[in-house]
Amino acid sequence: MSGAAAHAQSYPSKPIRWLVPYPPGGGSDFLARTVGQALSEQVKQPVIIENKAGANTAIAASETARAPADGYTILNADNGTMVFNSALYSKLSYNPEKDLTPVTLIGRFPMILVVGPGSEAKDAKDFIARAKARPGSINYGSAGAGSPHHLAMELLKVSAGVDMQHVAYRGAAPALSDLAGNQIPAMMVDLAAGGGFIKAGKIRPLAVANATRLPQLPDVPTFAELGYKNIEAAALVGVVAPAGLPADVLSTLNRQLVTAVNQPAVKQRLIDFGVEPVANSPQQYADLLKSETVRWHKLIRDQKITLD
């Protein structure tokens, strides 16, 4: 038996280290811990979650890129890691295309335009009309500069032709608290982060940046329904490994992750949390990253957004 075949048959034969580029408690961490527990039970090996936050996910991404390409170090990667960072920074400590191997997209966190209780906007069209009437005078919050929340609102600005000022927060939670307290009038947020505020009536959803309405918010229209066809944005969280991962190990890792995500109990936990489960092939994930890179790099260039 060849060495590669023997390796594939025995993989995994020791604990898998799963890096999360955010602190404990957030959406990315929840995904890794939920899917990681199911993965561990399937492969009968420990899956150890390590939180390595910082530098817009670049610290964990760089560590993954430097790790051996053997399938025992994997990373929860989002749009920031795989798409945005290479446009936002002139120098980056890793190359998302050359240093990391896409394994599978785990889930999507579609973005929602929400306003605070003090907003007089009746709906999304009214909000846009009011913003157009007062160019540059409306602030919007985000979970951080370069986050999917930030760039989703920049996409709205371009598509709807409005001028608003960005206020970056350190995470979605403080931004949502200020939104609920009328310190800022609006933001884009995902359901996992903002669902509790929406259910409690502390903030109000106006439109979803998704191709279809969200089952959890059936009365909230999509931007496309309102005539804005290009406003689609979501946090995309997937699993990547170091470049050069052997094809047979990649296949095994993908298969096990897809099986874990598709376990009925796991799938329901993700949906209840506000995630749209995906679990696709490495090629499908890689193709999505390529198309997302073209789309968002153009927006970042056109809007002259930089984090240097």
Side-chain angles (χ1 to χ4, degrees):
M1 185 182 290
S2 71
H7 185 261
Q9 264 197 353
S10 63
Y11 173 81
S13 58
K14 63 181 182 179
I16 295 173
R17 184 171 168 243
W18 190 331
L19 298 184
V20 175
Y22 293 101
S28 184
D29 183 68
F30 172 85
L31 273 186
R33 292 181 189 279
T34 302
V35 178
Q37 183 179 347
L39 176 65
S40 175
E41 291 167 1
Q42 284 172 195
V43 300
K44 308 213 168 13
Q45 291 290 343
V47 174
I48 300 161
I49 307 297
E50 285 188 29
N51 298 87
K52 293 255 177 179
N56 223 29
T57 77
I59 291 174
S62 299
E63 186 164 333
T64 305
R66 293 192 302 267
D70 55 11
Y72 291 103
T73 301
I74 59 177
L75 169 72
N76 243 32
D78 64 10
N79 325 45
T81 318
M82 302 304 291
V83 177
F84 304 153
N85 281 354
S86 52
L88 292 168
Y89 296 94
S90 58
K91 290 183 181 177
L92 197 59
S93 55
Y94 69 98
N95 183 312
E97 290 183 16
K98 294 179 180 177
D99 297 341
L100 298 167
T101 299
V103 179
T104 184
L105 181 65
I106 296 288
R108 299 173 72 256
F109 294 73
M111 292 293 146
I112 308 158
L113 174 65
V114 290
V115 292
S119 174
E120 296 178 354
K122 297 188 294 291
D123 51 34
K125 278 193 168 182
D126 188 30
F127 173 82
I128 290 168
R130 289 171 183 269
K132 280 185 174 179
R134 299 168 54 203
S137 63
I138 293 179
N139 294 333
Y140 73 89
S142 82
S147 66
H149 311 73
H150 171 204
L151 293 173
M153 194 63 106
E154 290 294 318
L155 180 62
L156 169 61
K157 283 171 56 178
V158 170
S159 300
V162 296
D163 180 14
M164 296 182 286
Q165 301 302 312
H166 178 219
V167 180
Y169 287 79
R170 290 193 173 186
L176 285 161
S177 293
D178 272 9
L179 182 66
N182 291 316
Q183 302 301 308
I184 51 170
M187 69 181 290
M188 286 275 194
V189 73
D190 58 279
L191 197 61
F197 284 81
I198 293 170
K199 283 179 190 171
K202 294 179 179 178
I203 62 175
R204 190 158 47 93
L206 300 185
V208 295
N210 200 47
T212 57
R213 293 193 182 200
L214 302 183
Q216 301 93 335
L217 300 172
D219 298 329
V220 181
T222 67
F223 279 103
E225 288 178 70
L226 303 173
Y228 301 100
K229 299 192 182 302
N230 297 321
I231 304 177
E232 287 189 23
L236 306 174
V237 181
V239 171
V240 300
L245 194 67
D248 42 19
V249 174
L250 174 60
S251 177
T252 299
L253 180 57
N254 171 267
R255 185 176 67 254
Q256 292 290 354
L257 283 167
V258 168
T259 301
V261 171
N262 285 323
Q263 284 188 24
V266 172
K267 204 168 193 175
Q268 194 57 52
R269 278 200 76 195
L270 300 186
I271 292 168
D272 290 345
F273 190 73
V275 184
E276 179 190 309
V278 181
N280 57 6
S281 72
Q283 191 59 56
Q284 287 171 322
Y285 185 25
D287 290 345
L288 174 65
L289 291 173
K290 281 180 186 173
S291 63
E292 286 288 287
T293 297
V294 171
R295 182 164 80 107
W296 290 103
H297 278 214
K298 182 181 187 307
L299 178 84
I300 291 166
R301 283 195 309 269
D302 291 350
Q303 294 298 94
K304 297 181 172 58
I305 302 168
T306 178
L307 296 185
D308 284 328

